[in-house]
Amino acid sequence: MIREIMGAIAKRIKNEFGCLVYSTEVARGYKLPCFFIEPIPTAERYTHNVMRKKLTVILTYMAAEQDMIASAAVYERILALFQTGIEVGSRHLHAPMIMMSMAGEDNTDMQIELIFDYYEAIPHETTADIAEEVMVNISQRSDKNGKIRYAKSTNCLSGGRC
């Protein structure tokens, strides 16, 4: 999923700005203006079947000429590109936080952090038998105070556990 998210982000940036988007491994030979993109993924177990994942994407904008007003305009364009989220395959991911800061030796390179939160199912293999048919009986009765009480019984009709 990380690769798909990074690809969707890079494609939007390239279409909007018409410049190259490099991975952070490129140390020299890049053409200005350009963007560098770096993923920082984290994951935690949310439930037995679900992982909650967060992908922080750091975009570093290297301008041909350093200009704070121009950098602010680039940030506004990035904000407009991602404020409603992105489509990744059949999913729509929101970016609940988009932050800007300055980086580099002279604080002249703009960095933008896009944070995407999403959930993914944890695949499990099971060796247990699964019931094909289950019958559930629910009965209703009133107790001596007039309160309605329910009783439930479950029966497996064809193999497996209920």
Side-chain angles (χ1 to χ4, degrees), residues 13-93:
I13 290 172
K14 188 174 182 180
N15 289 343
E16 174 70 19
F17 294 95
C19 62
L20 293 175
V21 179
Y22 297 98
S23 69
T24 54
E25 290 91 30
V26 177
R28 57 184 108 123
Y30 49 86
K31 182 181 173 187
L32 299 177
C34 65
F35 284 89
F36 288 87
I37 188 169
E38 176 183 6
I40 302 174
T42 59
E44 67 178 321
R45 186 177 213 119
Y46 185 66
T47 67
H48 177 71
N49 296 317
V50 176
M51 290 293 289
R52 178 174 29 207
K53 296 187 175 185
K54 178 183 286 191
L55 180 62
T56 301
V57 177
I58 299 176
L59 298 172
T60 303
Y61 176 66
M62 308 281 288
E65 295 179 19
Q66 303 304 327
D67 178 359
M68 287 297 289
I69 294 173
S71 292
V74 169
Y75 172 72
E76 290 293 328
R77 288 170 67 187
I78 292 287
L79 188 60
L81 279 178
F82 297 106
Q83 64 190 355
T84 59
I86 58 172
E87 299 294 328
V88 180
S90 63
R91 299 178 72 175
H92 184 86
L93 302 180

